[in-house]
Amino acid sequence: MISPMICKVKNLRTLLAPVRPIYTVPVELYQELTCLRTLDLGGSDIDKLPNEVGKLLHLRYLNLWGTNLSELPETICNLYNLQTLELFQCKKIQKLPSGIGKLTNLRHLGNGGTDALGYLPQGIGSLRFLRTLSKFIVRGSSMGCNLGELKLLTFLQGNLKIEGLERVVEMNEAAEAELRMKNRLRGLTLNFGDLEQADVEKMKGVLKNLHPHENLEELKIKGYPGLQFPSWITSGSNLVSLKLHGCGTLTELPAAMGKDGMP
């Protein structure tokens, strides 16, 4: 446990909590250390954040990787200065706050390895300065967001995984994502989910419309139910790696691609 005595250091800017075992953080910490810019609770065993975390209005960096959190309090959306929210390997987290779109200064949302996370809330597209988004989950319902929310995330860079493509309602949604305009992306994973439930014609249109920028270097495709790939697969001048998983219905690869799946 973190000692409540630390709350007497009123001007503290950075707090790096020791790794396990930490099961609780004193509520006083969130109430008193309002000058904090960096709070690192990564690797601890905490399973809940209190609403008082919303009082840390100067916070820029919040690291919660590997914790046992199942959800985040809605008050975290009051942290307007937050630039990094790290949730990597938070395997129990099931949802993000519905008002996450209020975090307009957010640059990095690390949500890789969040296996129980079923959807991203509507409003992700409001995070226009976002550079890192480990995983985008298509929901296709009023609860979550659709591919069109990716349109305004023009600064995305590094690697992006898109899951739940089998839930896309209209294939034109894929075009609205405007992946072709995101020239900073280097790696892209497209996951089509359950082959048996997929609308094959729709999924063909979705993949065709998810044409990424030619700067893409690595592409992974999982569960695509079509017989062929669209022509853009081999048009990327910088593509150096193509990996296919569970694409058992394919009858042919693009002409410029070898049997090993490499262009």
Side-chain angles (χ1 to χ4, degrees):
M1 179 175 177
I2 298 176
S3 172
M5 296 296 293
I6 201 170
C7 298
K8 294 183 177 182
V9 190
K10 300 291 186 181
N11 294 321
L12 195 67
R13 298 293 197 275
T14 299
L15 177 59
L16 307 178
V19 188
R20 293 180 171 89
I22 292 180
Y23 298 98
T24 60
V25 177
V27 173
E28 293 84 359
L29 182 149
Y30 306 105
Q31 296 172 329
E32 303 295 336
L33 300 184
T34 55
C35 293
L36 277 179
R37 266 65 169 177
T38 297
L39 178 58
D40 188 343
L41 300 174
S44 66
D45 291 306
I46 62 169
D47 58 10
K48 186 176 182 179
L49 277 182
N51 290 330
E52 285 78 6
V53 70
K55 297 180 181 293
L56 303 179
L57 298 180
H58 297 289
L59 204 63
R60 265 68 166 177
Y61 178 90
L62 178 58
N63 184 7
L64 301 168
W65 73 265
T67 57
N68 292 320
L69 295 167
S70 59
E71 61 181 351
L72 301 177
E74 199 67 34
T75 54
I76 209 168
C77 302
N78 296 336
L79 306 179
Y80 299 115
N81 292 304
L82 195 65
Q83 296 181 5
T84 298
L85 177 58
E86 184 57 72
L87 302 171
F88 181 68
Q89 292 295 323
C90 289
K91 294 185 179 297
K92 295 182 179 180
I93 200 160
Q94 299 177 25
K95 62 179 181 177
L96 300 181
S98 60
I100 197 170
K102 298 177 183 178
L103 300 177
T104 53
N105 287 305
L106 200 65
R107 265 68 168 174
H108 307 284
L109 177 55
N111 62 337
T114 51
D115 300 341
L117 188 62
Y119 67 98
L120 297 183
Q122 294 178 0
I124 289 292
S126 300
L127 308 178
R128 299 192 181 190
F129 295 114
L130 204 62
R131 288 162 171 75
T132 302
L133 177 62
S134 306
K135 180 170 63 174
F136 183 92
I137 307 168
V138 179
R139 181 66 174 185
S141 72
S142 59
M143 291 180 61
C145 52
N146 58 38
L147 282 170
E149 296 248 12
L150 285 171
K151 178 179 180 178
L152 297 176
L153 304 184
T154 56
F155 295 107
L156 284 181
Q157 60 188 25
N159 298 311
L160 171 66
K161 177 188 291 186
I162 302 179
E163 295 187 347
L165 287 170
E166 75 280 5
R167 294 194 289 263
V168 172
V169 178
E170 298 290 342
M171 66 178 69
N172 289 336
E173 290 177 18
E176 293 173 4
E178 294 190 357
L179 291 188
R180 203 167 187 172
M181 305 299 293
K182 295 170 177 45
N183 60 359
R184 297 175 178 86
L185 283 180
R186 295 297 177 263
L188 178 64
T189 298
L190 303 175
N191 192 339
F192 286 84
D194 191 340
L195 274 172
E196 295 182 359
Q197 297 181 8
D199 182 326
V200 176
E201 288 303 312
K202 184 193 297 183
M203 295 303 101
K204 287 169 61 177
V206 167
L207 184 58
K208 180 180 179 180
N209 289 332
L210 285 175
H211 188 166
H213 193 276
E214 62 180 12
N215 286 349
L216 195 73
E217 297 175 359
E218 298 182 2
L219 176 64
K220 298 178 183 178
I221 300 177
K222 299 181 178 181
Y224 176 62
L227 302 179
Q228 300 171 326
F229 282 132
S231 59
W232 66 255
I233 293 288
T234 55
S235 66
S237 60
N238 288 329
L239 195 65
V240 297
S241 174
L242 174 63
K243 296 182 180 180
L244 310 177
H245 300 275
C247 301
T249 59
L250 283 174
T251 58
E252 62 180 86
L253 297 176
M257 186 180 298
K259 293 181 179 180
D260 57 357
M262 297 293 293

